[in-house]
Amino acid sequence: MSAPFTHRIRVRYAEVDGQGVVFNAHWLTYFDEACTRFMRDLGFGPSFWDEDFEVMLVHAELDWSGPAGFDDWVDITVATARLGTKSFDLRFEASVGGRPSCTATITYASVQPGAHSAIEIPPAVREALAARRA
Amino acid sequence: MSAPFTHRIRVRYAEVDGQGVVFNAHWLTYFDEACTRFMRDLGFGPSFWDEDFEVMLVHAELDWSGPAGFDDWVDITVATARLGTKSFDLRFEASVGGRPSCTATITYASVQPGAHSAIEIPPAVREALAARRA
Amino acid sequence: MSAPFTHRIRVRYAEVDGQGVVFNAHWLTYFDEACTRFMRDLGFGPSFWDEDFEVMLVHAELDWSGPAGFDDWVDITVATARLGTKSFDLRFEASVGGRPSCTATITYASVQPGAHSAIEIPPAVREALAARRA
Amino acid sequence: MSAPFTHRIRVRYAEVDGQGVVFNAHWLTYFDEACTRFMRDLGFGPSFWDEDFEVMLVHAELDWSGPAGFDDWVDITVATARLGTKSFDLRFEASVGGRPSCTATITYASVQPGAHSAIEIPPAVREALAARRA
């Protein structure tokens, strides 16, 4: 079994709020960036993504367990948590220096590019996601 | 029973992504703004909030059911969904022109201002939140 | 002479940084929102803006003279500062409770929608902008 | 003479607007991140920065000359452009694949940490900035 996919992000000053920690909404942005890199790692580049396959978020659950502050490196692992016919879940686990910080499970619907109606996940995407189950 | 608390937000151009809809992370920012206004409506102003009472997000669940686009007015209702000893849930329901757009249930922990350790929700806050149950 | 166009923004918790003031980049977002409302006030709605007229920022100068903090109301006046053939400048002056906070002069190029090549400012837009000189 | 300091940023999906390019305000965030890395490169870590030296933006000028889109790598060079007694200018030049994209000159005032009143730039900071003139 391969090592889990990991993406690193460094916290910007602009992302830290008056409590000295990353403002909650930015975690969804971090996970979005991690999702992009995960899909790229699976072989789906900008042209594929844009033209033949597109996703929209339909559900997200986040849990915060520890802080991330200015200039911290955040390590985010990404894996497939569920693989349906027209939607799938990715699991994100973020930590700072080994300490758990924020986790999320996000459900993406496969949609007709441009039209936003649900379609089956293309076979190549399904196969790639299946190989990265948690 | 009183009418539910509602806060209106107008979608900024900066908040809409390449798919022409509000980027997912901004919904947490919208709900954070709605939470601030809801707490103000309950009588908790900046000084109270900052000095005697502080919250940290510990859990959030979001569901997207319809789009919000540039310049749309988003109506967000806020109500108390759960009231524990040291934490509580708020329920947010956002719609655009009456069409459901995004909903969320967010769990806030009551923390010692500055120290971030969990403390009981102050009685005055508890009483005010109880009066606004969904 | 008419009163200057003014747009009000309330500072979000998410927009305040570790120094307790609005993070610098958000001022450009505030001015972008004020620009949208100014153009709407001039009669240019989404369809006109999207189909026949589009702008791109080519230059911006900002000066900060005082802080804006969480929950502050920011009043932003907008006026035409320069009117060229293919570009124009808007002047933004932001204040909090009457105290100057941030000002900006932003140069917008009139571009072919979609194509991003410079074109002359449409006559109706020019006329409307001329009527709102500072 | 040493090579100019360069910092790379990859454009997030969240940062691209409906015109398919980085929304204007994010450039100030990019330059803020580049400034942090530049100061770190000069030897000023979090503790120094937070305790003995702090800056506030007082002026910024930005020029846009070319687009940056989703997933693009943006290379930002940073150099000292002016060195006054209580303030200094940094020059930022951003490019995508060698094509100029956005440049900025930003004026930072040296302030008393916490108090925000102007103070002289500490000698160690001055010396380091002087060594990195454009």
Side-chain angles (χ1 to χ4, degrees):
Chain A
M1 189 185 148
S2 61
F5 177 83
T6 303
H7 179 61
R8 299 198 99 189
I9 282 173
R10 197 161 205 175
V11 176
R12 293 173 174 166
Y13 184 68
E15 295 162 350
V16 170
D17 63 23
Q19 292 181 317
V21 298
V22 171
F23 179 71
N24 62 81
H26 298 308
W27 288 101
L28 279 176
T29 303
Y30 291 177
F31 295 145
D32 195 80
E33 179 177 316
C35 172
T36 295
R37 300 266 65 79
F38 176 72
M39 294 305 290
R40 291 285 182 279
D41 191 57
L42 260 53
F44 305 118
S47 65
F48 183 92
W49 184 272
D50 294 344
E51 291 162 25
D52 301 312
F53 177 57
E54 197 173 303
V55 294
M56 292 200 78
L57 267 66
V58 290
H59 182 73
E61 294 196 30
L62 299 100
D63 286 279
W64 288 271
S65 54
F70 173 45
D71 221 29
D72 281 347
W73 280 108
V74 179
D75 294 298
I76 304 172
T77 62
V78 189
T80 306
R82 187 187 63 84
L83 194 48
T85 306
K86 295 182 174 179
S87 71
F88 60 95
D89 292 359
L90 294 184
R91 173 71 177 174
F92 301 88
E93 303 195 347
S95 58
V96 175
R99 290 177 293 101
S101 185
C102 182
T103 59
T105 301
I106 300 178
T107 304
Y108 300 86
S110 170
V111 296
Q112 186 78 33
H116 298 172
S117 51
I119 58 167
E120 287 193 12
I121 301 168
V125 177
R126 164 178 299 282
E127 196 175 323
L129 288 171
R132 302 294 183 97
R133 281 185 179 278
Chain B
M1 189 185 148
S2 60
F5 177 82
T6 303
H7 179 61
R8 298 199 99 189
I9 282 173
R10 197 161 205 176
V11 176
R12 293 173 174 166
Y13 185 67
E15 294 162 351
V16 170
D17 63 22
Q19 292 182 315
V21 297
V22 171
F23 179 72
N24 61 80
H26 298 308
W27 288 101
L28 280 176
T29 303
Y30 291 177
F31 295 145
D32 195 81
E33 179 177 317
C35 173
T36 295
R37 300 267 66 80
F38 175 73
M39 294 304 291
R40 291 286 182 278
D41 191 58
L42 260 53
F44 305 117
S47 65
F48 182 91
W49 185 273
D50 294 345
E51 291 160 26
D52 301 313
F53 177 56
E54 196 173 303
V55 294
M56 291 200 80
L57 267 66
V58 291
H59 182 73
E61 295 196 30
L62 300 100
D63 286 279
W64 289 270
S65 54
F70 172 46
D71 221 29
D72 280 348
W73 281 108
V74 180
D75 294 299
I76 304 173
T77 62
V78 189
T80 305
R82 188 187 62 84
L83 193 49
T85 306
K86 296 183 174 178
S87 70
F88 60 95
D89 292 358
L90 294 184
R91 173 71 177 174
F92 301 88
E93 303 195 348
S95 58
V96 176
R99 291 177 293 100
S101 185
C102 182
T103 59
T105 301
I106 300 179
T107 305
Y108 301 86
S110 169
V111 296
Q112 186 78 33
H116 298 173
S117 52
I119 58 167
E120 287 194 13
I121 301 167
V125 177
R126 164 178 300 281
E127 195 175 325
L129 288 172
R132 302 295 183 97
R133 282 186 179 277
Chain C
M1 187 186 148
S2 61
F5 176 83
T6 302
H7 179 61
R8 299 198 97 189
I9 282 174
R10 196 161 205 176
V11 175
R12 294 175 174 165
Y13 184 68
E15 295 162 350
V16 170
D17 64 22
Q19 291 181 316
V21 298
V22 170
F23 179 73
N24 61 79
H26 298 308
W27 288 101
L28 280 176
T29 303
Y30 292 177
F31 296 145
D32 194 81
E33 180 177 316
C35 171
T36 295
R37 299 266 66 81
F38 176 72
M39 293 304 291
R40 290 286 182 280
D41 191 58
L42 261 53
F44 305 118
S47 64
F48 182 91
W49 184 271
D50 295 343
E51 291 162 23
D52 301 311
F53 177 55
E54 196 174 302
V55 294
M56 291 199 79
L57 268 66
V58 291
H59 182 74
E61 296 196 30
L62 299 101
D63 286 278
W64 289 271
S65 55
F70 172 45
D71 221 32
D72 281 348
W73 281 108
V74 179
D75 294 298
I76 304 172
T77 62
V78 189
T80 305
R82 187 188 61 85
L83 194 48
T85 307
K86 295 182 174 179
S87 71
F88 59 95
D89 291 359
L90 294 184
R91 174 69 178 174
F92 302 88
E93 303 195 346
S95 59
V96 176
R99 290 177 293 101
S101 186
C102 182
T103 59
T105 301
I106 300 179
T107 305
Y108 301 86
S110 170
V111 296
Q112 185 78 31
H116 300 172
S117 51
I119 57 168
E120 287 194 13
I121 301 168
V125 177
R126 163 178 301 282
E127 195 175 323
L129 288 171
R132 302 294 184 97
R133 283 186 178 278
Chain D
M1 188 185 149
S2 60
F5 176 82
T6 303
H7 179 59
R8 299 198 97 189
I9 282 174
R10 196 161 204 176
V11 176
R12 294 174 174 166
Y13 184 68
E15 294 162 352
V16 170
D17 63 23
Q19 292 181 316
V21 298
V22 171
F23 179 72
N24 62 79
H26 298 308
W27 287 101
L28 280 176
T29 303
Y30 291 177
F31 296 145
D32 194 80
E33 180 178 316
C35 172
T36 295
R37 299 267 65 81
F38 176 73
M39 294 303 292
R40 291 285 182 279
D41 191 58
L42 261 53
F44 305 118
S47 65
F48 182 91
W49 184 273
D50 294 344
E51 292 162 24
D52 301 311
F53 177 56
E54 196 173 304
V55 294
M56 290 200 80
L57 267 66
V58 290
H59 182 74
E61 294 195 31
L62 300 99
D63 286 279
W64 288 271
S65 54
F70 173 44
D71 222 31
D72 281 348
W73 280 108
V74 179
D75 295 298
I76 304 172
T77 62
V78 189
T80 305
R82 187 188 61 86
L83 194 48
T85 306
K86 296 182 173 179
S87 70
F88 59 96
D89 292 359
L90 294 184
R91 173 69 177 174
F92 301 88
E93 304 195 347
S95 57
V96 175
R99 291 177 292 102
S101 185
C102 182
T103 59
T105 300
I106 300 178
T107 304
Y108 301 86
S110 170
V111 296
Q112 185 78 31
H116 299 173
S117 52
I119 57 168
E120 288 193 13
I121 301 168
V125 177
R126 163 178 301 282
E127 195 175 324
L129 287 171
R132 302 293 184 97
R133 282 185 179 278

